[in-house]
Amino acid sequence: MVITVNDYEKIRTMYMREHMSQRAIAKALGISRNTVAKYCAGASYPGLRADYHRDASVMTPDVIQFIQQCFLEDAQERNPKQHHTARRIYDRLVEERGFTGCESSVRAAVRNLRRTRSKAYVPLEFHPGEAMQIDWGQAAVMLGQERLMVNIFCARLCYSCTPFAMCFRKQNTEAFLEGLAHAFSFFGGVPRRVIFDNARVAVKSGYGKQAVSQDRYAAFAAHYCFETVYCNPASGNEKGLVENLVGTTRRNIFVPVPRMSSMQELNEMLVARCSQYIESHKVLRRPIAVKDALEEERKGLLPLPQLCYDSRTVMEVRVSPYATARMETNNYSVPVKYVGCTVAMKAGAETVSIYSDGAEIAVHPRCYGRNQDILSLEHYLPILERKPRSILQAKPVRHALSKTLLKWLEIGEFSGRELMQILEVYVEKGEDEIFRHQAEYLSHEAIRRIPQAVEVQSVNLAAYDEQFMKGDAAACQKQA
């Protein structure tokens, strides 16, 4: 018999107010005495159902202990992409322990055990200019015709949630320090604390509070006057703002895969998207928009130093007879007049600059391969002019010119002087300019023709003639 609310009310009224016995109430209403006793005591009411739970008999303490051991192995590995799933734990139980239960029982146990292991976090709040979080991510891009996995340097101010992102081909010390310097410049100031992982580009030894900074990073931090806060291992929650930024950047800016002509163009696009975010976004559960919060935060940032820190790696090398300077197994060309000289090489994240007596004499994209030659054709024009028979076999020429242009020069029967003039046009105006005048070059008219008339200023020789005549008259008088 289903007890309704009306029945429940009658039982309670007859018992509490009319002081009838439970036997009399049961007889009057035709309800079991046990049911009447339960409702008279107020131990229950209609519609209340007791929770039902029964542990599966196959989930013995040994099985539970095995599941917990799997969790412990995951914690020691610290690789979230290779952890035990409920299915993998079930398979191991069957293989290693002869488990006879069903997979659903294991899934339920795993779910319950993981729920008990969940961590609680303290919500954080920051003052304007107090802190910035940084992190790295990766994404695929198309640079020209090449598909690359680039490293994304992400930074975020903790008060305003203002983002900054910049890409590098390699995650090294130069890229790390350049990314920080560009972030400070973008934000318009320096936060008092920088929070990030125990990255080896900044940490010499230890981790967390015991971390010891690398010398170059310590000098950089001293120049910009900020304090470093190293996170504990496997504690992404300590920099949750920037952890979210890495994923958001990858999903919203790198989908579909960007197609850019250069790394500089890619970074210009990233800065534009960050600026767009600042102008249009408001973070959920934040009282004001990002743009307004950034204005407040800039008042709390430390001012930028007058001199930007030079984070490039510097070394002195001697220029080889092939007009190259060597760094990290790779050779970078310089003008041939510097052969035998000692030059300074400064390697940044994306470029290598070469100096002689304080003047910049060459700039190349930094090469992260091994035993490569990075040669600029214009550096070798003076020596090619002296040795024209080597032009078509010269490595700088073959590296610079496309296969199509090189083949055209090989079958064109050009003289050494004509080849030099074509190379000079290539260096000054590019390959397209040569192909635009291809027919003229083949007829040898474009090379032999003087590009423009030479203007010769007229000279008045009257004064010369007068002096010449005076000279002749004096000579005649002397002879007489």
Side-chain angles (χ1 to χ4, degrees), residues 156-358:
R156 200 168 199 174
L157 293 176
C158 295
Y159 174 76
S160 62
C161 291
T162 303
F164 173 79
M166 187 174 183
C167 285
F168 299 94
R169 285 178 297 150
K170 195 172 183 67
Q171 190 182 143
N172 56 12
T173 301
E174 291 81 16
F176 181 62
L177 299 183
E178 284 185 25
L180 280 170
H182 281 90
F184 295 153
S185 178
F186 179 78
F187 295 142
V190 182
R192 286 163 170 75
R193 291 191 294 152
V194 173
I195 305 170
F196 65 102
D197 289 330
N198 300 270
R200 288 303 162 197
V201 292
V203 178
K204 182 186 301 183
S205 62
Y207 57 87
K209 292 182 179 180
Q210 288 74 39
V212 178
S213 298
Q214 296 279 7
D215 294 340
R216 289 179 63 187
Y217 176 74
F220 180 91
H223 183 70
Y224 285 93
C225 199
F226 63 84
E227 176 191 356
T228 302
V229 178
Y230 296 109
C231 296
N232 292 311
S235 300
N237 59 290
E238 296 182 9
K239 52 181 179 61
L241 289 174
V242 76
E243 291 275 354
N244 294 335
L245 177 61
V246 171
T248 301
T249 302
R250 186 162 42 225
R251 291 188 297 270
N252 292 279
I253 301 181
F254 290 86
V255 177
V257 175
R259 297 179 178 272
M260 300 291 171
S261 60
S262 65
M263 190 70 73
Q264 180 180 355
E265 183 183 359
L266 175 62
N267 284 326
E268 288 174 355
M269 183 268 290
L270 286 175
V271 170
R273 293 293 295 270
C274 290
S275 300
Q276 180 183 352
Y277 178 95
I278 294 170
E279 292 294 327
S280 60
H281 202 75
K282 181 182 180 299
V283 179
L284 188 65
R285 295 186 295 275
R286 295 289 177 114
I288 58 178
V290 173
K291 179 181 179 181
D292 299 327
L294 178 58
E295 291 299 320
E296 288 186 18
E297 183 141 43
R298 280 176 172 158
K299 299 175 183 177
L301 295 174
L302 300 173
L304 293 168
Q306 295 182 0
L307 178 65
C308 183
Y309 188 87
D310 190 350
S311 58
R312 295 177 293 181
T313 298
V314 182
M315 61 183 300
E316 288 190 351
V317 298
R318 187 177 181 84
V319 178
S320 74
Y322 296 103
T324 57
R326 190 173 181 84
M327 173 178 278
E328 295 178 343
T329 77
N330 298 313
N331 300 313
Y332 299 87
S333 69
V334 299
V336 293
K337 67 178 181 179
Y338 294 100
V339 168
C341 298
T342 298
V343 296
M345 301 185 71
K346 294 186 176 183
E350 297 298 327
T351 60
V352 173
S353 301
I354 305 175
Y355 295 82
S356 177
D357 295 330

Side-chain angles (χ1 to χ4, degrees), residues 125-150:
E125 185 177 78
F126 297 90
H127 297 299
E130 180 180 355
M132 177 181 79
Q133 297 177 2
I134 60 176
D135 199 8
W136 289 90
Q138 283 190 325
V141 299
M142 289 293 297
L143 289 185
Q145 301 300 318
E146 185 180 7
R147 183 183 178 93
L148 294 175
M149 288 297 295
V150 296

Side-chain angles (χ1 to χ4, degrees), residues 55-61 63-64 99-102 105-106:
D55 291 329
S57 58
V58 293
M59 302 308 295
T60 62
V63 173
I64 298 299
F99 183 71
T100 58
C102 62
S105 299
V106 176

